[in-house]
Amino acid sequence: MEQNKYELKNLIDSLLNSIRNYGIKEVSMEQYEVTCREIERFAMGKGRTEYYDGLMEDYTSYIESREKNGCICKEYARFKKRVIRMLISLAVTGTTDFSSSPRCQRRYSVSSSSSDIIESVLNFHDLRGESRKEMDTVLRHFFHYVEKQESTENVTVTDDLLMLFFTEELPLTNKGSMGRSLRALKYLSTYLKSIGQNHLILDFTQLKARTASVRTIPPYSQDEISKMLSVIDLNTVEGLRDYAIILLAFETGLRGVDIKTLCLQDIDWCEGKIRIRQSKTSEPLTIPISGKVMNAVADYILNGRPECNEKKIFLCVKGPVKPLNKRTYPLGCLTHKLSIRSNVELLPGRSFHSLRRSFATELSEAGIPLETISQMLGHKSVEEDKPYLSYNREQIAFCSIGFDEIPITHGIHSGGDSDADI
């Protein structure tokens, strides 16, 4: 059967809408959006903007190679494969297939009494759609494990069993999804306490799965950004817009979402400042902008931007006049496309957000105080700047604590007999 041809962007937008309507929580939608935009960038890297027959095989091979090289965990790779499978089903049949793959069918058989408890837990917390399926899987895993441990189908859940499952079983059988598993145990514990099982003492709501350590992503260098800007065609409306967006991100450190929602009245042309309320934190932010940036933005407004009543500065260049969608317009595709055109290396993890890191790195290397950089980034504390400022060894050394005033009374540096201190 001949497969339908779709513009990938439109197909992805339709997929995200169907996923949201299916009942996925908004916090999980971010992961679906990230993966969908990655698929779009992957296809663009092959020179394709439409859905094509071999997309699933090509992307799946790419994900499997990343998993093999240790770039992503097994669980995340499985999730990405599921998203591409959903996208293909939408392209081929016109509907999104939310079922699990044949290899991911229900594998934890439990007794009818345990099934009743699981159903009650899911209903008690009003879980639906994908969230319900995920929690159902973890809870079945728990009761399957407990029934084997206790050699009975009439399980009495205790704090010890919950902790044994979490500390001994999950690390061996469910790597990469500890946060999801812990959430299921919290749901179970909360439900059982609500129906009067007072023998449960531990408060699982206070437990948190350990998050990954802060990973620093290489910023773009000045030279790389210059190369990217040089390949933009300033004779087109799209080129004028993209040039202004890249310059704005690099020279001000604004987040992509704040650039997309930047309004005409947010720029004080006389004082050379931008005043906004940040989308991420809702905190006000005032930052200076250079004449170079103001000229680029003004050039787009005067010579590229269509005349309309829209308050937001940056607009779509295709279709009806409308602002860039805050959630679904992928600025990451812009840096990806420009990197390919200008032969800038596509390092793992690089994205549009790397321009914000470039901004902070340039300031740091220029000797700007960390507190000032933090304020310009709109952060609430210097702790939030770790992924941005770890490139400047002098800045790190400046933050270190001196030990000059601390007396050394033991050890080989105390000035005494080192043998006596051993």
Side-chain angles (χ1 to χ4, degrees):
M1 181 178 69
E2 184 178 357
Q3 294 180 321
N4 299 323
K5 298 296 182 184
Y6 290 97
E7 283 289 333
L8 261 181
K9 183 181 184 306
N10 296 336
L11 184 62
I12 285 173
D13 288 343
S14 297
L15 175 63
L16 291 173
N17 286 333
S18 67
I19 293 173
R20 185 173 280 108
N21 293 334
Y22 184 68
I24 303 297
K25 292 186 177 180
E26 203 60 32
V27 65
S28 300
M29 282 301 302
E30 295 182 8
Q31 291 300 320
Y32 281 97
E33 290 183 1
V34 167
T35 299
C36 283
R37 298 310 169 190
E38 180 186 88
I39 294 171
E40 185 177 8
R41 291 193 297 272
F42 175 81
M44 287 176 59
K46 292 183 171 293
R48 310 294 289 265
T49 59
E50 287 185 335
Y51 167 79
Y52 63 94
D53 290 352
L55 176 59
M56 182 170 181
E57 290 75 12
D58 290 347
Y59 183 72
T60 300
S61 297
Y62 164 71
I63 292 303
E64 289 176 348
S65 67
R66 294 197 67 200
E67 181 187 353
K68 183 178 179 181
N69 294 331
C71 297
I72 57 176
C73 67
K74 181 179 181 180
E75 187 72 17
Y76 197 32
R78 185 186 305 143
F79 171 76
K80 289 177 177 290
K81 291 178 186 178
R82 182 167 187 266
V83 175
I84 189 65
R85 195 165 58 247
M86 293 162 68
L87 184 70
I88 300 308
S89 73
L90 180 60
V92 175
T93 68
T95 59
T96 304
D97 181 7
F98 289 96
S99 63
S100 300
S101 67
R103 288 180 296 178
C104 298
Q105 297 295 333
R106 181 175 293 173
R107 53 186 172 177
Y108 300 115
S109 59
V110 297
S111 65
S112 58
S113 60
S114 294
S115 291
D116 291 340
I117 295 175
I118 293 171
E119 195 69 16
S120 298
V121 173
L122 300 175
N123 292 335
F124 178 80
H125 293 282
D126 194 26
L127 297 176
R128 302 175 184 177
E130 188 71 11
S131 295
R132 189 180 184 95
K133 288 178 63 177
E134 288 182 346
M135 295 301 100
D136 177 78
T137 299
V138 178
L139 292 173
R140 286 184 175 277
H141 186 181
F142 169 75
F143 280 100
H144 177 78
Y145 167 78
V146 172
E147 288 176 6
K148 287 177 61 179
Q149 293 289 313
E150 300 294 297
S151 299
T152 179
E153 294 186 354
N154 296 313
V155 172
T156 298
V157 178
T158 65
D159 288 333
D160 288 342
L161 286 174
L162 288 168
M163 288 303 298
L164 277 173
F165 176 72
F166 186 64
T167 59
E168 295 187 3
E169 171 71 1
L170 286 178
L172 297 176
T173 61
N174 213 21
K175 295 179 180 179
S177 60
M178 294 297 285
R180 181 184 66 185
S181 300
L182 178 56
R183 189 163 71 251
L185 297 186
K186 290 177 182 179
Y187 285 149
L188 175 59
S189 177
T190 301
Y191 166 73
L192 293 176
K193 289 179 181 178
S194 73
I195 61 174
Q197 296 199 18
N198 298 323
H199 63 280
L200 295 172
I201 306 299
L202 295 181
D203 185 359
F204 279 81
T205 62
Q206 299 300 312
L207 291 179
K208 290 184 179 180
R210 187 181 67 180
T211 57
S213 57
V214 176
R215 183 168 62 95
T216 304
I217 298 176
Y220 293 105
S221 67
Q222 284 261 20
D223 181 58
E224 288 174 323
I225 293 173
S226 296
K227 288 180 180 179
M228 292 164 65
L229 290 172
S230 69
V231 299
I232 297 177
D233 185 359
L234 297 179
N235 294 314
T236 66
V237 172
E238 185 176 12
L240 289 172
R241 183 199 65 186
D242 293 348
Y243 187 87
I245 288 176
I246 295 293
L247 261 187
L248 194 59
F250 175 58
E251 299 264 351
T252 67
L254 281 175
R255 297 182 180 91
V257 64
D258 290 327
I259 291 177
K260 285 188 272 189
T261 56
L262 189 66
C263 295
L264 295 166
Q265 66 268 23
D266 293 334
I267 299 181
D268 188 327
W269 300 95
C270 296
E271 293 189 17
K273 293 181 179 179
I274 290 178
R275 295 183 177 89
I276 62 168
R277 186 166 293 277
Q278 300 173 86
S279 298
K280 182 177 181 179
T281 64
S282 297
E283 295 292 327
L285 177 66
T286 300
I287 52 175
I289 51 174
S290 66
K292 183 179 180 180
V293 176
M294 285 196 292
N295 287 338
V297 176
D299 197 16
Y300 166 67
I301 293 174
L302 297 174
N303 301 314
R305 187 177 184 273
E307 294 185 9
C308 61
N309 295 324
E310 177 56 53
K311 295 180 180 180
K312 293 184 177 63
I313 293 177
F314 298 109
L315 308 176
C316 295
V317 295
K318 297 179 181 179
V321 175
K322 59 181 180 180
L324 304 179
N325 189 290
K326 186 169 72 170
R327 293 190 60 82
T328 60
Y329 186 85
L331 288 177
C333 286
L334 174 57
T335 50
H336 185 86
K337 175 180 66 177
L338 294 177
S339 294
I340 293 175
R341 289 181 182 176
S342 58
N343 293 320
V344 170
E345 187 177 2
L346 293 170
L347 295 177
R350 267 191 176 172
S351 64
F352 185 84
H353 198 67
S354 298
L355 295 170
R356 180 169 162 87
R357 291 181 169 84
S358 302
F359 167 77
T361 300
E362 293 292 327
L363 292 181
S364 179
E365 291 179 349
I368 304 299
L370 297 182
E371 293 81 1
T372 302
I373 298 175
S374 186
Q375 290 173 8
M376 296 181 74
L377 289 171
H379 289 160
K380 294 181 179 180
S381 70
V382 177
E383 282 295 308
E384 297 179 52
D385 301 311
K386 287 182 179 178
Y388 301 84
L389 303 175
S390 58
Y391 290 89
N392 190 334
R393 295 182 181 274
E394 292 184 5
Q395 289 276 32
I396 295 174
F398 180 76
C399 293
S400 300
I401 300 175
F403 291 91
D404 295 340
E405 304 301 322
I406 302 176
I408 301 176
T409 59
H410 299 284
I412 62 174
H413 297 292
S414 65
D417 185 356
S418 59
D419 291 335
D421 295 318
I422 296 177

